[in-house]
Amino acid sequence: MKTATFSFLISVGLLSIPSFAQYEDLSGVTGGASKAAQFCALKAIKVTHKDGVNGAKDVSIAFQFTGGKPSVFFNYYDASKKAVVFDFYDAHRSKDAVDTVKEAPITHSSMDSVQIDLNKDAKGIEPDIRDVVRVTLFTQYDLAYETQENGGLITMNFKWSPAIQAGFTRKKKALYWQVPLATVVAGGAGFAAYEMFLKKEPAKDDNPLNTLPSRPSQ
């Protein structure tokens, strides 16, 4: 039942992951224990970069595991936290694991061990609680990156440069101006509609005496 449920959840789209950030951490719940028979451990996070031209660089963040590899992992950008989040399932954090990642545009990081019930929102289904190592990489940018998996090594790769940063800045400014511009356009359209359809003509005087030509002045 456990395996079937887990596989089903994966197949139907836990890949649309932002909702995953909403799952409840059950670490403090009495009796909350993962059903996984075997665990791997996140031993270390290693950051390397290769410099290019004009301030560009290729950044690689490697998550090193011992005792196997996570049963599955998910990664997504959490806009509320302003962070790229990696969730490694059926994994523990090694006691000597260091969680410091500081490589622009990542300002800092955190590493947490949590427990998540995959069936939390499914009524009538037995809880499927998993131990998860969550690594949070804080950055204000929704980075374009790739992931690679090779045995007990999972790697995040991305490019960064002043030009890429400028592109994010332009996009942010464009979004900032869209709202007031839309307001102005909507206001202008409303005024035009008022002038064309809603504005009332001056009331006509129906008294026939008032329509007689006036006497020429002497």
Side-chain angles (χ1 to χ4, degrees):
M1 178 66 178
K2 172 193 67 177
T3 303
T5 303
F6 195 33
S7 301
F8 172 76
L9 288 171
I10 295 173
S11 64
V12 297
L14 281 181
L15 305 171
S16 58
I17 286 303
S19 61
F20 242 71
Q22 306 302 318
Y23 274 107
E24 183 181 4
D25 176 13
L26 303 177
S27 303
V29 177
T30 303
S34 174
K35 297 179 180 179
Q38 183 177 357
F39 294 97
C40 62
L42 178 55
K43 180 181 179 181
I45 303 176
K46 185 178 180 180
V47 183
T48 58
H49 73 266
K50 181 179 179 181
D51 294 330
V53 297
N54 298 324
K57 62 180 179 180
D58 294 324
V59 180
S60 177
I61 301 176
F63 306 96
Q64 300 176 346
F65 292 87
T66 59
K69 63 180 181 178
S71 59
V72 67
F73 73 94
F74 298 104
N75 48 279
Y76 51 94
Y77 185 74
D78 189 330
S80 62
K81 290 183 177 180
K82 290 184 171 56
V84 176
V85 180
F86 278 79
D87 284 346
F88 301 102
Y89 280 70
D90 298 324
H92 285 162
R93 173 182 177 175
S94 176
K95 293 181 179 179
D96 56 352
V98 178
D99 64 359
T100 302
V101 177
K102 189 175 182 180
E103 180 73 39
I106 297 171
T107 58
H108 61 291
S109 64
S110 66
M111 185 190 302
D112 303 293
S113 294
V114 300
Q115 287 184 329
I116 290 176
D117 180 6
L118 295 179
N119 296 337
K120 174 178 179 290
D121 297 320
K123 295 182 179 180
I125 298 180
E126 182 182 358
D128 187 359
I129 299 175
R130 300 292 176 125
D131 287 83
V132 176
V133 173
R134 174 169 293 165
V135 178
T136 307
L137 307 173
F138 294 93
T139 174
Q140 61 179 311
Y141 306 109
D142 187 357
L143 302 176
Y145 60 89
E146 296 179 348
T147 59
Q148 294 179 341
E149 182 179 354
N150 183 12
L153 188 68
I154 296 173
T155 309
M156 170 189 183
N157 302 303
F158 64 92
K159 296 181 180 295
W160 190 248
S161 68
I164 294 175
Q165 183 173 357
F168 277 109
T169 302
R170 286 194 298 270
K171 188 183 298 184
K172 186 176 181 180
K173 287 183 178 179
L175 181 62
Y176 175 81
W177 283 107
Q178 281 176 3
V179 174
L181 180 60
T183 303
V184 171
V185 171
F191 179 76
Y194 169 78
E195 289 290 326
M196 294 174 62
F197 304 111
L198 301 178
K199 186 176 181 180
K200 295 181 179 180
E201 296 291 336
K204 295 183 178 180
D205 194 337
D206 295 330
N207 188 343
L209 296 179
N210 292 335
T211 62
L212 295 176
S214 60
R215 181 181 178 182
S217 59
Q218 297 295 330

